[in-house]
């Protein structure tokens, strides 16, 4: 295969890793990482690095399992037992409307800040959700994706510039410690929420497997499989670096200043944009506002597609097996639309009737992901060691060891979380 054809092949498959990055950056980075930097300073950096390292195998297994078997991870769960599929289905049904609500509130907040509109988030959120449903149903996202890619690149570039300037802030490195110190109980619960979606919830490994199959369509050769893995690794490393950037921004401009992030979505987003203007200059506010909207909007579309697609596949797996490299399980049917509309209705009801703060929306969804993470890590590990996966494709060496460590560590921390909740 020539270098040119290799490049063309990579360009053709490039996408699942980008979708993974889009899923990650919206909540865990722009919102949670900035909050973590503001509260803990650079003392949270090592925690983020370790979390990303130990979660890597579980996420990567989403791509690897599909390329090895031609089926989604949910078929691997079915092979373990229907209880595994049912557990995934129930947890995701619970989390989906909360995630939809939180992301639509955040994106609506950007619209209010950038445009100055008098419309409230209660009006903008459902309109935003409906526009995403329409784009996904009628194919308009293909054009939008090209525009979003450009804006996301701009956003990333501006974030790196702002971070570089923030690193020159006097005393920014004084907050660096191996791990957060003097952590109060509320702060500990926030750390739980923070790592729950760092870089994103482990349920995204299932989404990754469905996106990989959708992109591959047929069993790739060794070069093609390597390019799929490279695509995922680029997205994963990129999200890790961006998490560091937002922690540094939160540290340099808010740590030990007495400033707090507001509870409402528009005020919260305005504070994040202020971090950029404080670091780069007021000239960047319109541009960073547009780019922030693009990133969050791409995240909204990604999760509005990801949750229903995974739930549709999970429901099908309760009743029947997947055939390797079949195409019909990837088609959007009535079940997909029902889950999508149901999630949007649930999100609208939460926005209208749940008076909790924007930050509480985020913390609830990310905490649920945290406590369910050890289960998914175990299921992904076991699926990769099943007889359906060829021996040569099963995890070995460091990757296998890190996967086992992740299961143990995530289980211990989830148990400790439940213990703290029980005694407080």
């Amino acid at each position: 295969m020539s270098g040119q054809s290799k490049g063309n092949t990579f360009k053709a498959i490039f996408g699942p890793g980008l979708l993974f990055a889009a899923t990650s950056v919206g909540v865990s980075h722009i919102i949670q990482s900035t909050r973590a930097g503001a509260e803990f300073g650079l003392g949270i950096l090592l925690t983020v690095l370790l979390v990303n390292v130990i979660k890597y195998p579980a996420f990567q297994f989403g791509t690897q399992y599909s390329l090895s078997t031609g089926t989604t991870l949910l078929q691997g769960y079915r092979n373990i037992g229907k209880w595994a599929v049912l557990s995934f289905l129930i947890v995701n049904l619970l989390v989906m409307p909360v995630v939809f609500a939180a992301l639509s509130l955040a994106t609506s907040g950007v619209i209010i800040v950038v445009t100055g509109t008098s419309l409230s988030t209660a009006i903008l959120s459902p309109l935003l959700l409906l526009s995403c449903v329409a784009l996904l149903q009628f194919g308009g996202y293909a054009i939008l994706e090209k525009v979003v890619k450009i804006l996301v690149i701009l956003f990333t570039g501006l974030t790196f510039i702002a971070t570089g300037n923030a690193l020159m802030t006097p005393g920014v490195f004084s907050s660096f410690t191996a791990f957060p110190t003097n952590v109060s109980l509320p702060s500990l619960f926030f750390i739980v929420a923070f790592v729950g979606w760092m870089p994103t919830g482990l349920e995204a490994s299932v989404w990754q497997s469905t996106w990989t199959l959708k992109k591959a369509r047929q069993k790739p050769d060794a070069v093609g499989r390597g390019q799929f893995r490279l695509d995922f690794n680029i997205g994963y490393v990129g999200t890790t670096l961006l998490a560091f950037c937002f922690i540094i921004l939160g540290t340099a401009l808010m740590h030990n200043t007495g400033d707090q992030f507001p509870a409402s979505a528009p005020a919260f987003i305005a504070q994040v944009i202020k971090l950029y203007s404080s670091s780069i200059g007021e000239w960047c506010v319109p541009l960073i506002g547009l780019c922030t909207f693009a990133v969050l909007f791409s995240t909204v579309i990604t999760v509005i597609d990801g949750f229903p697609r995974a739930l549709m596949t999970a429901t099908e797996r309760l009743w029947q097996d997947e055939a390797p490299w079949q195409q019909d399980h990837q088609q959007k049917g009535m079940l997909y639309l029902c889950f999508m509309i149901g999630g949007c209705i649930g999100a609208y009801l939460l926005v209208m009737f749940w008076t909790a703060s924007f930050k509480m929306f985020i913390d609830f969804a990310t905490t649920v992901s945290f406590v369910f993470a050890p289960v998914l890590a175990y299921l992904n590990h076991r699926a990769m060691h099943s007889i359906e996966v060829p021996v040569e494709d099963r995890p070995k060496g460091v990757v296998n060891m890190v996967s086992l460590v992740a299961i143990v560590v995530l289980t211990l921390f989830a148990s400790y979380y439940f213990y703290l909740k029980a005694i407080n």
Side-chain angles (χ1 to χ4, degrees):
M1 183 179 287
S2 68
Q4 183 178 1
S5 61
K6 286 181 181 179
N8 290 336
T9 302
F10 179 69
K11 184 178 179 181
I13 67 162
F14 186 64
L18 180 65
L19 289 173
F20 178 85
T23 304
S24 304
V25 172
V27 171
S28 67
H29 291 51
I30 294 176
I31 297 169
Q32 296 292 71
S33 294
T34 311
R35 285 175 63 191
E39 182 164 353
F40 305 111
L42 299 185
I44 198 71
L45 278 178
L46 185 57
T47 300
V48 170
L49 178 62
L50 291 175
V51 168
N52 279 273
V53 168
I54 68 170
K55 282 187 176 182
Y56 172 82
F59 282 116
Q60 196 268 342
F61 291 164
T63 297
Q64 185 65 31
Y65 186 86
S66 292
L67 294 175
S68 298
T69 66
T71 61
T72 68
L73 262 177
L74 287 166
Q75 177 60 38
Y77 293 179
R78 176 181 168 86
N79 294 336
I80 294 170
K82 288 186 178 180
W83 65 267
V85 180
L86 188 60
S87 298
F88 178 88
L89 190 64
I90 292 172
V91 171
N92 280 268
L93 279 172
L94 173 67
V95 172
M96 178 173 64
V98 183
V99 174
F100 284 10
L103 284 171
S104 65
L105 281 172
T107 312
S108 299
V110 176
I111 295 173
I112 291 172
V113 171
V114 172
T115 66
T117 179
S118 59
L119 295 176
S120 67
T121 54
I123 296 175
L124 288 173
S125 292
L127 290 176
L128 184 68
L129 292 171
L130 285 174
S131 68
C132 291
V133 171
L135 281 168
L136 288 166
Q137 285 299 112
F138 300 112
Y141 184 56
I143 298 174
L144 179 67
E145 184 182 29
K146 297 178 181 178
V147 178
V148 167
K149 283 181 181 178
I150 296 172
L151 292 174
V152 167
I153 291 171
L154 278 173
F155 176 84
T156 303
L158 287 171
T159 301
F160 285 146
I161 293 171
T163 303
N165 291 338
L167 285 172
M168 292 185 285
T169 304
V172 67
F173 292 103
S174 63
S175 65
F176 180 79
T177 55
F179 295 99
T181 56
N182 301 320
V183 178
S184 64
L185 190 61
S187 294
L188 183 60
F189 288 148
F190 168 64
I191 292 176
V192 166
F194 175 53
V195 302
W197 261 15
M198 178 51 61
T200 189
L202 271 182
E203 59 271 13
S205 61
V206 174
W207 306 358
Q208 186 73 14
S209 72
T210 63
W211 292 329
T212 298
L213 280 184
K214 185 169 184 268
K215 198 75 175 180
R217 297 186 179 275
Q218 60 186 4
K219 188 176 180 64
D221 58 19
V223 174
R225 291 170 68 181
Q227 290 171 333
F228 268 103
R229 287 192 291 268
L230 177 61
D231 168 58
F232 172 76
N233 289 337
I234 289 172
Y236 200 86
V237 172
T239 58
T240 303
L241 292 176
L242 281 173
F244 290 167
C245 288
F246 283 104
I247 290 171
I248 291 168
L249 283 172
T251 299
L253 302 173
M254 291 190 69
H255 184 59
N256 288 335
T257 64
D259 293 337
Q260 298 291 326
F261 279 107
S264 72
F268 189 103
I269 295 299
Q271 185 78 355
V272 172
I273 293 176
K274 183 181 176 182
L275 297 180
Y276 285 86
S277 63
S278 299
S279 180
I280 303 177
E282 289 293 332
W283 66 268
C284 78
V285 170
L287 182 58
I288 197 62
L290 178 63
C291 292
T292 303
F293 170 77
V295 170
L296 285 173
F297 190 63
S298 66
T299 303
V300 175
I301 289 183
T302 303
V303 300
I304 287 182
D305 175 71
F307 270 108
R309 190 181 294 277
L311 289 169
M312 174 189 70
T313 307
T315 304
E316 292 172 350
R317 294 295 74 76
L318 287 174
W319 311 114
Q320 61 184 8
D321 289 307
E322 284 182 40
W325 303 107
Q326 70 177 21
Q327 296 302 309
D328 57 348
H329 80 276
Q330 295 291 349
Q331 301 302 315
K332 301 173 184 177
M334 185 57 65
L335 191 57
Y336 169 88
L337 184 60
C338 287
F339 278 126
M340 182 184 290
I341 293 176
C344 291
I345 292 173
Y348 173 72
L349 293 175
L350 286 172
V351 170
M352 291 298 296
F353 299 111
W354 190 16
T355 57
S357 74
F358 169 67
K359 291 187 289 185
M360 191 174 293
F361 268 114
I362 299 292
D363 288 348
F364 174 79
T366 52
T367 300
V368 172
S369 291
F370 173 83
V371 298
F372 194 54
V375 178
L376 288 177
Y378 165 75
L379 292 175
N380 290 4
H381 182 89
R382 186 169 169 186
M384 282 302 299
H385 283 278
S386 65
I387 59 173
E388 289 76 24
V389 178
V391 174
E392 63 271 18
D393 291 340
R394 296 175 192 175
K396 306 174 185 67
V398 174
V399 172
N400 190 60
M401 181 185 69
V402 173
S403 178
L404 290 171
V405 169
I407 296 169
V408 174
V409 170
L410 292 172
T411 301
L412 289 175
F413 275 97
S415 301
Y416 183 58
Y417 169 78
F418 283 122
Y419 167 74
L420 290 176
K421 279 292 186 181
I423 65 175
N424 290 281

